[in-house]
Amino acid sequence: MMDRPRTYRVGWLKVVLLLSSVASFGMLLLAAYQENFTAEWRTHQQEFAHVLSVKATAANETSAPAGASVKASDYPIEIRQAFLPEWDKVDRCITCHVGIDNPAMQDQPQPLTAHPGDILQHHSADRYGCTICHQGQGRATDKEAAHGRVPFWDEPLLTGDFIQSTCTQCHHDEEVPQAPVLNRGRQLLSELGCVGCHKTGETLAAEKVGPQLDSVGSKVTRKWLHKWLADPGKYLPEHKMPQYPLPSGAIDGLAAFLMTARDDKIDNAPQPKGDYDTGADIYRESQCIVCHVTKLDYADNPVGGHIGPSLMKIGNKINQKWLVAFFQNPHSFLPHTKMPGYHFSKKEAINLSQFAIEEWTDYDLQDAEAEEPALPTGTPQQIALGKRLFAELDCAGCHELKGSPAKRDAPELTFIGSTPVHQLTFGDAKVPRTTPDFLYTKLKSPRSLHHKFELHPGEDPVDAIWENLRPKSLFSASQSLPDGAEGERLAWLLEQAKKAGVLEKQLALPSGTTAKQAHWLVWALNEVGALNPLKMPDFQPSDQDTEALAIALMSLSEVGAPSKRFDAPRRSKTVFDPKDEFGKLERHYRCLSCHKIRSSGELLASDLTYEGNRVNREWLYHYLNQPYSMRRMLTIAMPIFHFPDEESRLMSEYMANVFVDSDLGAAWKRNRDKADAGRGKTLFQAKGCMACHQVNGTGGDVGPSLTTQVPEFPHGTWVGDKLKGEWVYAWLENPQAILPDTIEPNLGLSDQEILDLTAFVLSLKNPQFQKKNNGDDKNNGDNNNGQVKK
Amino acid sequence: MSTDLKSTPRFQQPQERRDFLGLAAAWSAIATVFLALLGALRLPAPWAFPESSRRVKLGPVSAFKGISITPEPKERLWVFSDDKGLYVISAVCTHLGCVVAKQEDGSFFCPCHGSRFDTEGKVTKGPAPKPLLHLELSVSADGQLVVDHDKEVGSDVRLKV
Amino acid sequence: MQKLAIGHDQQSFVAASQARGKKVYDHYCEICHGAEGQGDGFNSAMLDPPPRNFADEAFWKRVNDEQLQTVISRGGESVGKSVLMPAWGRTLDPSQITDVIAFLRTVPALAKKAAAAEESEN
């Protein structure tokens, strides 16, 4: 106790040691407690065990099957995992998402809830885990880390429809079942022409989406072309061509170049003069409205199809001489068009073009354009510049033009979905650094993901600006930088930019040092985007389309199943493209633009795959010559093609013999003598068929009337005159098996009921027509195996 | 001073504030290090090892009902169904772990050393020391048949479905 | 990008179910029951008795999900109602019907909102 000061010093250290030890001890204890007793997943599992026991008690009270009694304490609280050695994955997601495969947990909140839908029935959680489809960090057991929303984890949990992007690891078909958004995105990648400039591997077909430009100079007016290149949306709000941010000098050049792509035959033809009214008749017969917007309704909404472009202002755009040539042979101008070849004579083509030009001209616009000064013809320099620009922007990625092959030199997208995030250029954009965010933003506003051009100290500002000015063709080839004082060179740069239409004419360099001037010039050029190297145009996709596209791009990934074993079987895709006479006719009339045959074609009109099973060939022959609408409320029907007789005969014969599946409705052929039309009639009432189908004027209008009347049609048009029993039988048995999207419900009828109903349907024959053809058994519906009458 | 301390151990002296402080500081430091060590020692033994689960889903129960024998080669077992319910016999020989073959008459034969088992898996001929294992079956919440490779049951146990 | 941060909570699952249900409804049911579920579809004029109006709140007090599941999957006939409502049980799977019901439950609220919007316009 004598040397108090000394012990005091020791005590001070002791206090520090004590306090720090107690603090660390406490922290360790707390950490141990948290990690071992109150971990998030433990809480979830305890809650789950509680829910299980509550549910089991409830089930026992309602005398559910024995063995369902569960005590909460029986449920082991432990880390649960799916182990996928081949995928090198350990998914502990089911440690928190414990109810994922328990259908009884559907009513529970996350994370205890059951997986929605029936997808786990085919992809069980213990065989496929979770992160193959959902991504995230499977080994982690706390929420943020497991969901992958932590630094340096490149694959955060996919949200919403983005999950569909991972289906393609095992499902290699172009169309992935149950992934509609992915399919839509892939379709958009082709439709928008992305594949014209970007290589994307083998999944997507690369076909040029824009029109062929070989005769564009004879087709359109110079004024239209200028306006179109500057802002396509002004002429056609639903335009497909994206907008390129081009300065006026570039537009002048491109237009001058494109106007040189001419067809002398068209140019030298006399100015056509046709008859508007005759043209209008041809327009109606040809059913142009099925594919094109051809009029506006009372509220100025466009009416017509969207397969072809809107025709509303073509009079302001197209040269009538070109239109005449086009109508006579559309496929020589647009080889990949969906537009059918019609049998227009020159005179008909002239009449139709007369109608088209007169009907679809915006006369206000025409008057306004007439007052604008005429555009000067392109100078040789402009034409040369246009050709360079056409190559630089790779217009040939979408448009065929003789002498201008596509480069396809845009960044390759084959594995864009698995590109490490740090390799993606986000620029100065403020978006989360993830692949989905990158793709979404890039598609929504391509120019936002970009580092602003800046002058670096030590480099010559004039050289740097000159090097980076875009589009390059405008600035590189014809001129070269002059030597001289820096101020003079900067002024020269500004002059060039003004000449090219990049900067406004009235701009001038600010007074001051050259450094200040250079800085100002960079700012001005940055403002108009002239220093942005990006060539990608702005497609302005809707939010929905952007998401679909981003999902499709995410699916282009190097990551795949570790072994072929996991590959989903490819569904066979039978492309219908016969090399015979019928194939020739199909390619001319482009039947597949509206009809479906096996897996080819579109479902705008009927599916012809089983047409031979479905209809009597004689009815078909007459229908081809004189098509009519199947529904009372619709005026739209198949166009009248005026098939030559031998063609309609060949097509009806071919369909009757080739588009046949002998198994379809085979039960009808075996058992038709057991069918009773009387019982069928009662059934027709009892099953409520008349809710949708009319018979003799009573009933609904959802499906086609069974007793359609078409005056002047040389064959019966009632259902019994038209359809064959085998098809009716198969249809009633399971409509969705024939047409997956049909809204005719599958009523689950017994075999006998189907037989009776089929007999009743076939008994509905037009009595007037029957009288006319009295005694001609070739027309007795189902028994019709006779040849088509000549 | 020092001799005083030597002759009289510190803890026999009446407790004084600074000594208590020193002891507490030392002990808490030791305890902290011990706890930290404990945590560090636990590191190589995590909660769960990445390994295959021994409880395996075989498929929907309905797929096994009414079918007398369903082989599951991947899991090395057979699922049997009789009028009392479902049961499982492992195909792993209890001798040295070869996979036994099922004979026409329903008995089992091990190709490695010639052990024979009757239809219930009981040994009829050596060298196998034990009958073939009957494994525990259960039904998961989503209606799948689950076999637990770690749980042996008696040969008369059946899963009622 | 807020848009991409779609939650995984219960509410968004219900919303997703309703959205799926709306799609199914638009494809199969709308032609009779109407775009807004008020029993005024294009084909309703042809039907006697007319299709159910789902905006009717009294109706929702009478029925539960199970009954609706039965009517939709087994047709009007199965509960002694009109045969004009066909059985959809073999065309739609149970989860699709669940989705449709989830959507139908939103109809009265939607109808009220639409009515209120109309009123404020007038």
Side-chain angles (χ1 to χ4, degrees), chain A residues 416-442:
Chain A
I416 183 76
S418 54
T419 308
V421 176
H422 69 266
Q423 287 179 16
L424 302 171
T425 312
F426 283 87
D428 311 319
K430 287 190 175 55
V431 291
R433 267 37 179 174
T434 71
T435 314
D437 282 294
F438 171 81
L439 294 172
Y440 188 91
T441 318
K442 183 85 177 176

Side-chain angles (χ1 to χ4, degrees), chain A residues 1-4 7-8 11-12 14-15 17-18 20-22 24-25 28-29 32 35-36 41-42 79 81 83 85 90 92 101-104 120-121 124-127 139, chain B residues 1 10 13 16-33 35-37 42 47-53 55-57 74 140-144:
Chain A
M1 305 324 91
M2 298 183 296
D3 38 14
R4 190 171 277 267
T7 43
Y8 178 73
W12 175 75
K14 278 179 190 166
V15 170
L17 182 68
L18 178 68
S20 61
S21 302
V22 167
S24 345
F25 187 75
L28 280 172
L29 214 59
E35 178 133 324
N36 296 303
W41 59 269
R42 281 183 184 274
I79 297 262
Q81 62 190 8
F83 176 54
V90 184
R92 300 190 171 130
D101 57 355
N102 188 340
L120 284 194
Q121 281 168 25
S124 73
D126 41 335
R127 273 197 62 200
R139 284 173 196 252
Chain B
M1 182 78 194
R10 225 175 147 163
Q13 281 185 350
E16 283 186 40
R17 192 169 149 268
R18 61 173 180 270
D19 293 320
F20 170 74
L21 205 66
L23 279 175
W27 278 112
S28 55
I30 291 167
T32 307
V33 170
L35 197 65
L37 213 63
R42 215 205 63 191
W47 282 107
F49 291 97
E51 61 185 6
S52 301
S53 171
R55 282 169 61 82
V56 180
K57 283 183 181 174
K74 203 180 150 239
S140 71
D142 56 344
Q144 303 239 10

Side-chain angles (χ1 to χ4, degrees), chain A residues 371-400:
Chain A
E371 284 179 17
E372 288 167 22
L375 290 163
T377 40
T379 61
Q381 286 91 349
Q382 279 178 329
I383 294 171
L385 166 65
K387 193 172 164 74
R388 283 200 308 276
L389 273 169
F390 195 87
E392 183 186 341
L393 301 172
D394 210 5
C395 306
C398 291
H399 299 279
E400 196 81 59

